């Protein structure tokens, strides 16, 4: 049973009907089979139509879809021989970030990503993919290991943001994020971040600096959540804000993969199966795999000094202004 | 029978207090005579809270008289998102420019501190909460690159609510850009001293502000990643006393020291005498 978002309701109804017919037919009645085929085509067209007119707020919903593949799903689908490594050697292991070694198409890599967790229990355990400072410090530790062994780094980004809590502040959430930003710029190995779901602010950015930045078609990347932005900028008097304001904020923030590419912040959009990555995770993973392979082949040709120099230039140009 | 006659009429005729003659301290909530605060370098005489000061005031406080030469003063935001909430971002910018007399939330340039050439960048909270968009990011990066090129120490003074959301992803990327420029600068072996004033949060604290070789905070400044209200709403608990104050950060090992405003310049001069020692010439050591 699929989980449908509100704007997918028309498709949901149709698909439920198809499901029902299929149960009735059980492969015997040819007439019904033909009917099912027709309805399936209709559902497909309807979905294509809905997805061709998708709004930024709807995209945000897809990026947060509970069935959307997470970091560990893509590691399973894309990599072999994953061996997870734990802990920051300073305070704790943060389950909101997973990290380790794996082989990607024969190449040994370090792979690091936010992990949201499925089902209530795991979600709580993984803090809904919201890291503490120890998560970022673990990520940096593994990146440094990769550098020592000459392995490229692949990161998967999917977080609402870094966790706003007492412990996180006590242990230096700001410093942990800032340190990652600085250190990634010094790494003399290729770094390829892939934004697979929610790119939530500084908590996402701390894993998103790299040489080629890839983004799934229905993922989002933003300085603040639409809800947070609406609460600050669309609040009238003491009235509370709701979905209407969130929709407006998500438009204004230009947070879709398409907007972010147009603003020159990412390098490539990876297409998703119709309806989103969760409709066909195998296909989504294949698309990520081929984009990763292309970038990796290109980057592994470059001498380390060139990588570091180009990485700096790349970010140096974002928001570059001329004096008036 | 009363010993003294109440002069009712006189009381009802209120003396008009000129606007801004008194100020309320953000920390101890005392009402204080403004001139008294001004004379004290804008520090509360009751509780030692350090009021927010403008970039201009900060620069004159820290640098040698007349030594400051500004860079990037003409930089203005090009409103990359064409952002509009209930007001257009462009209008907000114009309003802030009128109010503060500066083009954006950062002022940068070269200067002398105790006779020592430095590059300094100061954020001004009065301009859209000191928020970092493309102009602040660009100015910081220019300052760090200039300091690297001239092999001068780099000094920043932060006072900011964080990233400027009206510039969306471009403002988020300024965190990466400024941190990259700190990495670049640090190759040169010169010190980067980061001063945190009230308040320093979000995208500014989670980038260049926390990357100083030496980090100094003013007393009682609020410093953190997430704002206290966001944390309170998330964890649904009361926050501990002194949470996210400079004193709290010092205790948790996040900053090197807390220094009173009136001792800030001398402290920088002392630190530079150790960290930029190769270029240090005693005869130039006049504050």
């Amino acid at each position: 049973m699929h989980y449908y978002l509100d704007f997918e309701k028309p498709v949901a109804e149709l698909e439920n009907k198809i499901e029902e017919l299929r149960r009735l037919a059980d492969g015997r009645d040819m007439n019904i089979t033909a009917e099912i085929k027709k309805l399936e085509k209709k559902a497909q067209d309807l979905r294509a139509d809905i997805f061709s007119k998708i709004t930024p707020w709807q995209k945000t919903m897809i990026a947060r879809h509970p069935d959307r593949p997470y970091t560990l799903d893509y590691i399973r689908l894309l990599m072999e021989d994953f061996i997870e490594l734990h802990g920051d050697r300073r305070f704790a292991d943060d389950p909101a970030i997973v990290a380790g070694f794996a082989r990607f198409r024969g190449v040994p890599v370090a792979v690091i990503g936010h992990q949201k967790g499925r089902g209530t229990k795991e979600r709580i355990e993984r803090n809904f993919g919201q890291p503490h400072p120890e998560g970022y410090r673990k990520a940096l530790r593994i990146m440094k290991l990769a550098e020592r062994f000459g392995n490229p780094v692949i990161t998967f980004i999917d977080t609402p943001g870094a966790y706003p809590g007492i412990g996180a502040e006590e242990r230096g959430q700001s410093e942990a994020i800032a340190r990652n930003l600085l250190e990634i710029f010094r790494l003399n190995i290729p770094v390829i971040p892939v934004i697979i779901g929610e790119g939530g602010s500084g908590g996402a950015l701390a894993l998103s600096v790299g040489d080629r930045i890839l983004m799934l078609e229905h993922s989002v990347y933003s300085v603040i959540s639409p809800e947070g932005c609406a609460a600050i900028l669309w609040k009238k008097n003491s009235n509370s804000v709701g979905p209407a304001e969130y929709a407006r904020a998500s438009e204004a923030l230009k947070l879709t993969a398409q907007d972010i590419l147009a603003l020159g912040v990412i390098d490539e959009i990876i297409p998703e199966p119709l309806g989103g990555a969760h409709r066909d995770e195998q296909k989504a993973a294949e698309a990520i795999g081929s984009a990763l392979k292309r970038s990796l082949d290109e980057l592994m040709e470059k001498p380390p000094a060139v990588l570091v120099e180009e990485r700096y230039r790349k970010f140096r140009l974002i928001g570059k202004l001329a004096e008036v | 029978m009363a010993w003294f006659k109440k002069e009712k009429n006189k009381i009802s005729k209120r003396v008009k207090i000129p606007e801004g003659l008194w100020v309320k301290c953000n920390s101890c909530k005392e009402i204080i005579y403004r001139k008294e605060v001004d004379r004290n370098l804008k520090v509360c005489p009751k509780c030692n809270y350090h009021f927010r000061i403008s970039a201009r005031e900060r620069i004159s406080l820290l640098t040698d008289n007349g030594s400051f030469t500004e860079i990037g003063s003409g930089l203005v935001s090009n409103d990359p998102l064409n952002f509009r909430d209930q007001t257009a971002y462009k209008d907000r910018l114009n309003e802030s420019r009128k109010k503060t007399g500066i083009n954006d939330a950062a002022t940068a340039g070269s200067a002398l501190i105790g006779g020592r050439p430095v590059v300094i960048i100061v954020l001004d909270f009065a301009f859209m909460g000191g928020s970092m968009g493309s102009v602040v990011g660009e100015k910081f990066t220019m300052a760090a690159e200039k300091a690297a090129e001239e092999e001068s120490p780099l000094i920043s003074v932060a006072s900011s609510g964080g990233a400027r959301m009206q510039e969306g992803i471009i403002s988020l990327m300024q965190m990466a850009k400024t941190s990259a420029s700190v990495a670049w600068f640090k190759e040169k072996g010169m010190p980067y001293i980061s001063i945190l004033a009230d308040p320093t949060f979000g995208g500014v604290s989670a980038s260049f502000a926390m990357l100083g070789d030496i980090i100094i905070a003013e007393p009682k400044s609020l410093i953190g990643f997430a704002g206290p209200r966001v944390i309170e709403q998330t964890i649904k608990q009361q926050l501990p006393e002194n949470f996210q104050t400079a004193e709290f950060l010092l205790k948790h090992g996040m900053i090197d020291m807390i220094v009173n405003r009136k001792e800030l310049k001398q402290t920088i001069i002392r630190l530079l005498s150790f960290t930029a020692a190769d270029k240090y010439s005693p005869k130039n050591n006049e504050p």
Side-chain angles (χ1 to χ4, degrees):
Chain A
M1 189 62 194
H2 287 294
Y3 176 94
Y4 291 94
L5 299 168
D6 272 353
F7 63 91
E8 295 179 296
K9 280 265 160 64
V11 188
E13 277 165 25
L14 213 55
E15 286 187 341
N16 288 338
K17 201 185 276 173
I18 295 168
E19 207 51 41
E20 216 169 282
L21 275 174
R22 204 174 268 145
R23 237 176 298 132
L24 280 173
D26 205 11
R28 281 166 303 178
D29 194 327
M30 280 307 290
N31 283 340
I32 296 183
T33 314
E35 181 68 13
I36 288 173
K37 276 248 154 63
K38 228 169 77 190
L39 284 175
E40 273 176 342
K41 172 83 177 64
K42 203 174 155 195
Q44 179 88 354
D45 291 347
L46 189 59
R47 189 182 293 282
D49 184 52
I50 289 173
F51 273 77
S52 70
K53 292 182 248 175
I54 205 163
T55 67
W57 178 235
Q58 289 169 337
K59 255 190 201 289
T60 308
M61 298 282 93
I62 301 168
R64 296 173 181 170
H65 198 292
D67 295 338
R68 195 164 173 85
Y70 296 149
T71 293
L72 286 173
D73 298 308
Y74 288 125
I75 291 176
R76 169 174 51 82
L77 293 162
L78 278 170
M79 303 194 180
E80 286 114 52
D81 212 12
F82 173 59
I83 180 154
E84 189 173 352
L85 303 169
H86 293 277
D88 70 342
R89 301 293 188 273
R90 279 161 174 77
F91 180 76
D93 183 47
D94 186 351
I97 288 183
V98 294
F101 298 140
R103 244 173 286 280
F104 171 68
R105 307 211 174 165
V107 181
V109 298
V111 57
I112 301 163
H114 301 97
Q115 183 65 29
K116 282 182 169 173
R118 263 185 230 293
T120 312
K121 192 168 164 263
E122 200 202 339
R123 251 168 248 231
I124 290 167
E125 205 177 283
R126 296 201 180 270
N127 202 24
F128 304 86
Q130 301 168 96
H132 281 74
E134 46 273 21
Y136 295 112
R137 288 173 184 143
K138 168 170 70 178
L140 183 59
R141 183 174 78 86
I142 306 305
M143 288 186 208
K144 293 266 200 181
L145 280 183
E147 183 184 41
R148 270 190 60 214
F149 307 130
N151 299 339
V153 176
I154 294 168
T155 65
F156 293 113
I157 289 89
D158 190 15
T159 179
Y163 188 63
I166 294 173
E169 295 289 329
E170 284 175 339
R171 299 194 290 280
Q173 188 75 286
S174 291
E175 193 273 344
I177 292 171
R179 186 67 49 196
N180 276 23
L181 298 178
L182 182 145
E183 293 293 343
I184 297 172
F185 277 102
R186 289 174 162 169
L187 293 176
N188 58 23
I189 37 150
V191 183
I192 311 178
V194 190
I195 295 150
I196 56 170
E198 262 184 293
S201 196
L205 182 68
L207 298 185
S208 307
V209 169
D211 303 298
R212 287 276 182 294
I213 302 161
L214 315 176
M215 202 166 162
L216 276 180
E217 186 184 346
H218 299 306
S219 58
V220 293
Y221 194 8
S222 181
V223 67
I224 186 170
S225 69
E227 293 92 329
C229 179
I232 299 168
L233 294 180
W234 270 270
K235 201 174 159 186
K236 293 170 206 140
N237 310 320
S238 63
N239 291 343
S240 60
V241 288
E245 286 79 19
Y246 303 157
R248 254 180 263 162
S250 55
E251 267 164 51
L253 283 167
K254 301 233 177 5
L255 45 63
T256 69
Q258 294 69 27
D259 288 328
I260 306 288
L261 182 73
L263 287 163
V265 170
I266 58 162
D267 298 281
E268 189 178 333
I269 295 176
I270 304 169
E272 291 187 34
L274 183 58
H278 60 284
R279 303 291 304 190
D280 189 344
E281 59 171 28
Q282 192 71 47
K283 212 171 145 191
E286 275 163 28
I288 294 177
S290 57
L292 270 177
K293 178 79 169 67
R294 243 184 303 114
S295 293
L296 201 57
D297 285 348
E298 212 181 299
L299 294 170
M300 280 170 76
E301 292 290 305
K302 299 192 183 210
V306 173
L307 277 176
V308 172
E309 169 82 24
E310 287 183 356
R311 198 181 298 142
Y312 184 74
R313 294 287 152 222
K314 177 185 173 66
F315 281 82
R316 180 66 188 88
L317 291 175
I318 303 177
K320 178 109 185 141
L321 300 162
E323 290 211 41
V324 288
Chain B
M1 205 188 98
W3 282 87
F4 300 102
K5 264 191 189 168
K6 275 185 187 166
E7 292 183 50
K8 275 185 182 166
N9 285 347
K10 270 201 176 165
I11 290 171
S12 65
K13 241 196 230 164
R14 276 235 176 104
V15 186
K16 242 195 166 178
I17 302 171
E19 189 110 338
L21 198 57
W22 300 85
V23 284
K24 189 174 170 188
C25 174
N26 283 349
S27 183
C28 67
K29 314 288 176 205
E30 283 275 344
I31 310 286
I32 324 146
Y33 190 43
R34 186 182 284 278
K35 278 207 175 131
E36 200 182 339
V37 176
D38 287 348
R39 270 198 300 270
N40 201 29
L41 302 173
K42 299 216 169 156
V43 174
C44 174
K46 300 274 190 302
C47 76
N48 200 33
Y49 169 77
H50 285 49
F51 282 85
R52 292 160 191 169
I53 60 175
S54 71
R56 193 177 40 78
E57 288 170 305
R58 177 70 69 181
I59 288 165
S60 75
L61 190 82
L62 292 181
T63 64
D64 298 353
N65 210 353
S67 70
F68 180 73
T69 314
E70 193 173 356
I71 55 168
S73 63
L75 293 180
V76 289
S77 170
N78 57 10
D79 187 12
L81 268 51
N82 201 4
F83 192 95
R84 189 183 178 91
D85 50 86
Q86 297 180 74
T87 4
Y89 174 41
K90 282 198 181 81
D91 295 339
R92 274 185 207 271
L93 283 172
N94 284 332
E95 210 177 287
S96 284
R97 278 184 202 123
K98 249 182 248 159
K99 193 181 86 183
T100 59
I102 50 177
N103 270 338
D104 209 296
T107 304
S110 48
L112 300 175
I113 294 184
R116 177 87 178 73
V118 300
V119 178
I120 183 168
I121 169 149
V122 179
L123 303 194
D124 195 326
F125 193 82
F127 194 104
M128 292 189 76
S131 56
M132 175 162 69
S134 50
V135 175
V136 173
E138 184 66 24
K139 277 196 193 176
F140 183 91
T141 308
M142 281 168 68
E145 285 176 343
K146 187 179 171 62
E149 197 184 308
E150 294 172 359
E151 299 197 24
S152 305
L154 175 65
I155 292 163
S156 70
V157 186
S159 177
S160 171
R164 186 173 297 167
M165 67 185 140
Q166 289 87 348
E167 291 192 25
I169 197 75
I170 301 295
S171 71
L172 189 70
M173 291 304 129
Q174 302 312 304
M175 292 170 65
K177 184 165 106 179
T178 55
S179 301
S181 73
V182 174
W184 193 260
F185 169 78
K186 284 189 178 182
E187 304 280 309
K188 299 289 179 185
M190 278 287 120
Y192 168 33
I193 300 176
S194 172
I195 296 152
L196 313 179
D198 184 62
T200 300
F201 277 90
V204 168
S205 73
S207 64
F208 66 85
M210 287 309 288
L211 292 173
D213 295 310
I214 292 150
I215 305 178
I216 303 172
E218 287 195 328
K220 294 190 166 78
S221 305
L222 287 180
I223 302 154
F225 176 69
R229 251 174 307 163
V230 173
I231 297 174
E232 217 157 30
Q233 281 164 13
T234 307
I235 63 173
K236 312 233 164 12
Q237 282 171 41
Q238 249 207 318
L239 300 174
E241 212 182 317
N242 281 335
F243 185 61
Q244 294 184 320
T245 59
E247 293 73 15
F248 175 92
L249 267 82
L250 184 70
K251 191 176 148 219
H252 285 94
M254 293 301 148
I255 57 174
D256 288 286
M257 58 187 108
I258 297 172
V259 176
N260 282 316
R261 191 169 284 166
K262 62 174 185 285
E263 288 140 18
L264 205 48
K265 183 175 180 183
Q266 203 50 46
T267 305
I268 295 170
I269 291 171
R270 281 181 63 207
L271 286 167
L272 292 182
S273 79
F274 293 102
T275 54
D278 56 332
K279 297 237 171 160
Y280 183 72
S281 145
K283 69 176 189 300
N284 288 336
N285 188 27
E286 294 300 317

